[in-house]
Amino acid sequence: RMPHLSMKKLFRDAVRDLLPRRILRRPKLGFNPPIGIWITRDLVSLVDRYLSDAAVRRTGVLEPAAVSALLGELREGRRDVSLKVWALLVTQAWLGTG
């Protein structure tokens, strides 16, 4: 343990000769995963399984019509509601309704 050194400082020192100075000094950047692509392409089967009308009714926590409306907006490209659909998908999966 080195109480006065951060892991970030150690990492920057380790790669100092490999990266340009502007990269080493810039602030930390966030990472936004491609959730929209995941739920409209790669995870369609999970979305269909966990957010089907029957699965939503089994849980009894979400309003089936509202979930269906959000899925329609996303699939028809009317509005990007991918983060909302992701939250619903994770909630239903956590509740174990699939």
Side-chain angles (χ1 to χ4, degrees), residues 11 15-24:
F11 177 73
V15 296
R16 184 172 314 282
D17 297 334
L18 303 171
L19 297 174
R21 187 176 211 160
R22 66 180 168 78
I23 299 293
L24 291 170

Side-chain angles (χ1 to χ4, degrees), residues 34-46:
I35 290 174
I37 292 170
W38 290 348
I39 61 176
T40 57
R41 294 184 196 165
D42 304 328
L43 301 178
V44 171
S45 62
L46 284 178

Side-chain angles (χ1 to χ4, degrees), residues 49-95:
R49 177 178 163 193
Y50 287 106
L51 297 180
S52 70
D53 204 53
V56 172
R57 287 185 193 286
R58 268 194 310 275
T59 305
V61 173
L62 304 174
E63 179 60 43
V67 172
S68 182
L70 273 177
L71 288 175
E73 287 186 28
L74 182 69
R75 289 177 174 158
E76 294 168 16
R78 287 182 279 155
R79 215 167 44 123
D80 181 12
V81 291
S82 55
L83 290 177
K84 290 179 181 183
V85 172
W86 177 256
L88 296 176
L89 174 64
V90 171
T91 300
Q92 286 287 100
W94 180 77
L95 292 169

